[in-house]
Amino acid sequence: MADLKEGGVVKKGHEEGLKLAISILEEFCLPLGLLPLADVIEAGFVKTTGYMWIVQSKKVEHNFKLIKKMVSYDTEISGFVEKKKIKKLKGVKAKELMLWPPVNDITVEDPPTGKIVFKSLAGITKTFPEEAFAAGQ
């Protein structure tokens, strides 16, 4: 894990960590409400590889009201960010009926359709309106 973080920008503390996380979402044209974080301990980003990680003090469960979807964010979230995409995402699960399959890839459709696509390793793909993940949702 340490190798992935090599050469990365690291921010400690909630305010600085949150700023970094939001700046990454902005830079890569991803919805700013995608990661509702609480009590960030550390956030980091390696520009050369796109590897991003966020460590929070506790697991966060967030209900995206527009799409009636409960999403769980683990104490450690990581993945590879590129324009309009997060790949190999770890630490994020979306409630599907009684199951919590991990979300593996998130893609904002390009050319823009206003849709965002979530894929899990279990082969579940869900598409939602992008505005459901706007800041403040």
Side-chain angles (χ1 to χ4, degrees):
M1 205 54 147
D3 291 347
L4 285 173
K5 295 180 177 181
E6 206 170 297
V9 173
V10 180
K11 299 291 182 187
K12 301 276 189 191
H14 182 69
E15 208 165 294
E16 290 300 308
L18 194 58
K19 262 190 217 156
L20 178 65
I22 287 170
S23 72
I24 293 166
L25 292 174
E26 271 178 342
E27 184 179 339
F28 292 95
C29 307
L30 291 159
L32 300 186
L34 205 52
L35 300 171
L37 304 167
D39 204 9
V40 175
I41 296 168
E42 176 184 296
F45 181 61
V46 182
K47 198 139 182 88
T48 52
T49 61
Y51 183 71
M52 163 193 92
W53 70 94
I54 298 162
V55 181
Q56 327 184 73
S57 67
K58 62 184 184 296
K59 207 167 108 170
V60 172
E61 283 191 2
H62 183 80
N63 187 17
F64 288 97
K65 292 179 189 73
L66 275 181
I67 55 170
K68 297 176 177 58
K69 192 51 81 188
M70 185 62 88
V71 181
S72 164
Y73 297 85
D74 233 325
T75 52
E76 185 148 349
I77 301 162
S78 65
F80 292 87
V81 188
E82 52 190 70
K83 191 162 175 66
K84 298 191 172 222
K85 276 188 182 157
I86 302 176
K87 290 181 166 173
K88 296 185 182 167
L89 184 63
K90 289 187 171 67
V92 179
K93 294 177 178 152
K95 191 166 191 186
E96 261 328 301
L97 304 169
M98 303 306 279
L99 303 170
W100 286 88
V103 176
N104 201 46
D105 282 353
I106 300 174
T107 307
V108 172
E109 291 188 341
D110 200 15
T113 58
K115 302 279 186 216
I116 185 165
V117 181
F118 294 81
K119 288 183 185 157
S120 80
L121 286 177
I124 299 168
T125 300
K126 293 279 182 187
T127 303
F128 296 109
E130 213 180 311
E131 69 251 26
F133 304 94
Q137 290 296 332

